[in-house]
Amino acid sequence: MRCWLSLLLLLLLTTGCWAGKAPPTDPAPPPAKPVSEQPEPIDLPFEPVAVESLTATDAPSELVKVKSFGLQRISGAKDVFVHLYVDPLFQHKPEQGEVIAYLQDGAAQYNLGLVSDYGVAQTSVQAVDLTGDGRAEIELFGPLGSHYEELQVLGFDEGRKEWLRYLKTGSPLKKDLDGDGRAELLAVSKGTVPSYLWIYRWQNGQFAMADPGKVLASESVRLVEDESGPLIEAASKNSARLYRYQQGRLLEQESRSD
């Protein structure tokens, strides 16, 4: 009998010890990062780009027309053409010589200036809607030097009934920066130092340009590829910061130091 009582007492003591223990718990999560430490989005100011009216002039008599591009209904009901002219010495050398472009709308001719230093083979003329208004503009592109290419965007203003040069910019690049399915129009350095990157968008009937390097006070700005999409790298001395462009704003992603 005394043995059974001892066993019962031992059992009661063991049960009491287990009842007094708290069940195991998961470690507490780390404290949330204060909202004040999250980088604030940086608004990019877009400055309007001046629009230039084209003035009719005569076709060049001292040059030879070597190539023409027909662009239908770009000015309304009439067909228009972009003609490429070269010096007679380069008439049969498409990879050489300066190229001068003229726009023809009916009987009127408009001098678009120098569009290539390396012959007509390197010159591109297309009808592309760059403004998102459903109407095509003329996109004229060509190299002007070993590290510089130039883009002109031309359009016909129905209200003013005249041809306009909406944009002339160097080394263009079309890239969807914010993943909305529509490519932004950029200007980037190609071999020049310090590197630069400008962003264009259409607003209030004209192009506007933002300069991230100026806003970020950086020595150089360039586009870099990331698994999540293109990023803008702004560098100064031995440090660099990465930003994602989103609808006119810059969102800081991370910091890097060499």
Side-chain angles (χ1 to χ4, degrees):
M1 185 67 180
R2 185 175 298 176
C3 181
W4 280 103
L5 289 174
S6 298
L7 289 174
L8 180 60
L9 181 60
L10 180 61
L11 180 60
L12 290 173
L13 289 173
T14 306
T15 306
C17 290
W18 278 107
K21 284 188 176 181
T25 58
D26 294 331
K33 192 174 184 180
V35 175
S36 60
E37 293 185 20
Q38 301 289 345
E40 291 292 332
I42 301 172
D43 291 323
L44 279 177
F46 280 80
E47 300 294 334
V49 176
V51 177
E52 178 186 355
S53 298
L54 300 183
T55 303
T57 186
D58 296 329
S61 58
E62 71 280 7
L63 302 178
V64 177
K65 181 167 60 179
V66 292
K67 197 169 186 178
S68 296
F69 298 84
L71 305 169
Q72 295 184 347
R73 297 186 177 277
I74 226 149
S75 65
K78 294 182 289 187
D79 293 347
V80 298
F81 300 88
V82 173
H83 305 297
L84 303 182
Y85 291 82
V86 299
D87 187 281
L89 293 174
F90 302 104
Q91 182 175 359
H92 303 293
K93 299 177 180 180
E95 300 285 347
Q96 300 179 36
E98 296 182 346
V99 180
I100 307 296
Y102 274 75
L103 170 66
Q104 179 186 353
D105 185 0
Q109 300 266 359
Y110 303 89
N111 186 353
L112 305 179
L114 179 67
V115 294
S116 174
D117 279 331
Y118 300 99
V120 295
Q122 306 296 321
T123 307
S124 170
V125 179
Q126 298 184 71
V128 183
D129 181 10
L130 294 175
T131 63
D133 62 357
R135 288 173 51 85
E137 288 76 43
I138 297 177
E139 180 186 83
L140 182 58
F141 171 80
L144 296 177
S146 57
H147 297 296
Y148 182 79
E149 300 163 327
E150 190 168 83
L151 170 72
Q152 292 190 47
V153 179
L154 314 166
F156 187 79
D157 188 294
E158 290 288 353
R160 297 163 62 171
K161 299 297 180 184
E162 64 177 339
W163 281 96
L164 303 174
R165 181 183 283 113
Y166 289 124
L167 182 65
K168 179 188 282 190
T169 189
S171 300
L173 175 68
K174 296 175 185 176
K175 192 82 171 177
D176 184 0
L177 298 182
D178 51 15
D180 64 354
R182 183 177 176 85
E184 276 72 37
L185 178 59
L186 314 173
V188 298
S189 57
K190 293 187 176 181
T192 58
V193 178
S195 59
Y196 65 88
L197 184 147
W198 300 334
I199 304 173
Y200 291 96
R201 71 181 182 189
W202 184 258
Q203 62 182 37
N204 302 323
Q206 64 190 119
F207 280 101
M209 186 269 283
D211 183 354
K214 182 178 180 180
V215 174
L216 300 172
S218 300
E219 295 178 0
S220 66
V221 179
R222 67 188 182 107
L223 202 62
V224 296
E225 291 296 335
D226 183 73
E227 293 180 357
S228 61
L231 298 176
I232 295 173
E233 182 188 77
S236 296
K237 295 184 179 179
N238 296 324
S239 65
R241 294 183 180 272
L242 293 174
Y243 299 85
R244 186 175 305 283
Y245 175 82
Q246 189 172 34
Q247 298 179 345
R249 308 170 98 188
L250 294 177
L251 308 177
E252 187 175 348
Q253 301 298 293
E254 64 180 79
S255 299
R256 295 198 316 210
S257 297
D258 296 337

